[in-house]
Amino acid sequence: PPYFLLTGIPGLEGAQFWIAFPLCIMYGIALLGNTTLLLIIKTEPSLHEPMFLLLAMLAFTDLVLLNSVLPKTLSIFWLGSGEIGFSSCLAQMFFIHTFSIVESGVLTAMALDRFVAICFPLRHSSILSVPVVVALVSLVLLRGVLLVSPMCFLLHQRHFCRQPIIAHSYCDHMALAKLACGDHRVSAYYGLFVLFVVTGMDLALIFVSYTMILRVVTRLPSREARQKAFGTCTSHVCVMLAFYAPGLFTAIVHRFERGIPLPVHIVAAHLYVLVPPTLNPIAYGVRTKKLWDRVV
């Protein structure tokens, strides 16, 4: 079709105008926070170390995700402008899913950074040097592109014989796949494959990292040293929970949606896009002394 029509939140059309206000406020906070993080890390040479370079990549990823979704969502809610061209829809889907995978990879890299910093503090700078971090981030980005590109290719080759109406406020992979003619199980199975490969691999690495961290921290003789070690991981754990919980819920209910109202799907999808970018700068900016000192 030449275009799709994004409906917003079916069943809550009358409330969408007002729902857009808290979304816009969170969008503004997230834009300000992540842009500030990027500028501070870029301009301060003392912050050019692995932890902060990964944090800068996380902020950049959040900005891409936000700007892929929120401008169009707000135009739907406030202006009723739901039309989106076929190519634009595929491009939006590509950026959303690619950078969601990138964010998962960056969070995994940050867990590995904490593992090396706590378990091998004297060798941290040699194990995770700046070139290693750059290579790691490049691999994470390449993984996202390689895994999401087939989704877009499969949909681009399909014919769409159903009405081009997407019951969502942005172009999600499964929402698009369900509009295609014939059986959409190939797209559904590939989406599940990507979900389990990315989430399974990343959560396994995060689990192993934190298991090793716990083993080392619990053996520290000083209570103050244990609290300091746990404190360096608290922000990362909060950010991971904010990212993975709504993300897994959204991915699963799109495929096994019996008994779950559609507005719940879409609200969870917005939380997945909005909550992590809003919380990340707060969690890291407030709890990381080097960053907080630059802000104040």
Side-chain angles (χ1 to χ4, degrees), residues 6 69-77 81-84 92 169:
L6 295 164
V69 175
L70 264 296
K72 185 61 181 176
T73 297
L74 293 175
S75 72
I76 294 168
F77 288 2
S81 175
E83 284 191 10
I84 183 169
Q92 187 187 49
S169 60

Side-chain angles (χ1 to χ4, degrees), residues 6-253:
L6 295 164
T7 63
I9 307 177
L12 295 177
E13 290 86 356
Q16 285 181 169
F17 181 84
W18 302 108
I19 292 172
F21 284 98
L23 294 183
C24 187
I25 291 169
M26 291 177 72
Y27 180 40
I29 293 170
L31 282 180
L32 178 63
N34 286 288
T35 304
T36 302
L37 271 183
L38 280 174
L39 290 174
I40 291 173
I41 293 170
K42 182 180 183 296
T43 55
E44 184 55 53
S46 66
L47 298 180
H48 295 174
E49 55 186 64
M51 175 186 171
F52 296 105
L53 293 177
L54 289 171
L55 184 55
M57 184 61 189
L58 186 67
F60 173 75
T61 303
D62 284 338
L63 287 172
V64 174
L65 277 173
L66 284 169
N67 289 303
S68 298
V69 175
L70 264 296
K72 185 61 181 176
T73 297
L74 293 175
S75 72
I76 294 168
F77 288 2
W78 276 334
L79 306 174
S81 175
E83 284 191 10
I84 183 169
F86 180 74
S87 298
S88 299
C89 194
L90 283 183
Q92 187 187 49
M93 187 192 88
F94 173 80
F95 280 105
I96 291 169
H97 291 290
T98 297
F99 281 88
S100 295
I101 292 172
V102 170
E103 179 141 357
S104 180
V106 173
L107 289 174
T108 305
M110 293 174 86
L112 293 174
D113 173 69
R114 292 298 85 208
F115 162 69
V116 174
I118 291 172
C119 299
F120 306 99
L122 300 179
R123 297 171 57 198
H124 179 245
S125 58
S126 59
I127 295 173
L128 279 179
S129 61
V130 171
V132 171
V133 172
V134 171
L136 196 59
V137 168
S138 301
L139 285 174
V140 165
L141 184 58
L142 181 63
R143 181 185 69 161
V145 171
L146 291 179
L147 286 174
V148 175
S149 294
M151 291 183 184
C152 300
F153 179 76
L154 284 171
L155 288 174
H156 191 269
Q157 300 304 310
R158 299 292 298 273
H159 293 285
F160 290 81
C161 49
R162 297 177 178 87
Q163 282 189 319
I165 298 174
I166 301 174
H168 211 303
S169 60
Y170 60 80
C171 294
D172 180 79
H173 171 235
M174 282 310 299
L176 264 176
K178 290 174 183 177
L179 298 180
C181 304
D183 198 345
H184 63 264
R185 281 184 294 181
V186 173
S187 291
Y189 290 152
Y190 183 75
L192 278 175
F193 166 75
V194 171
L195 173 68
F196 286 120
V197 165
V198 172
T199 309
M201 182 193 304
D202 291 353
L203 287 179
L205 287 171
I206 290 168
F207 176 77
V208 170
S209 297
Y210 274 96
T211 301
M212 299 300 291
I213 287 170
L214 283 172
R215 287 182 61 187
V216 170
V217 170
T218 51
R219 292 174 184 172
L220 292 174
S222 164
R223 181 180 176 183
E224 183 181 347
R226 289 196 296 271
Q227 288 178 339
K228 183 178 179 181
F230 279 127
T232 63
C233 300
T234 305
S235 301
H236 186 245
V237 172
C238 293
V239 167
M240 285 193 301
L241 289 173
F243 175 75
Y244 283 112
L248 287 172
F249 176 81
T250 301
I252 291 169
V253 297

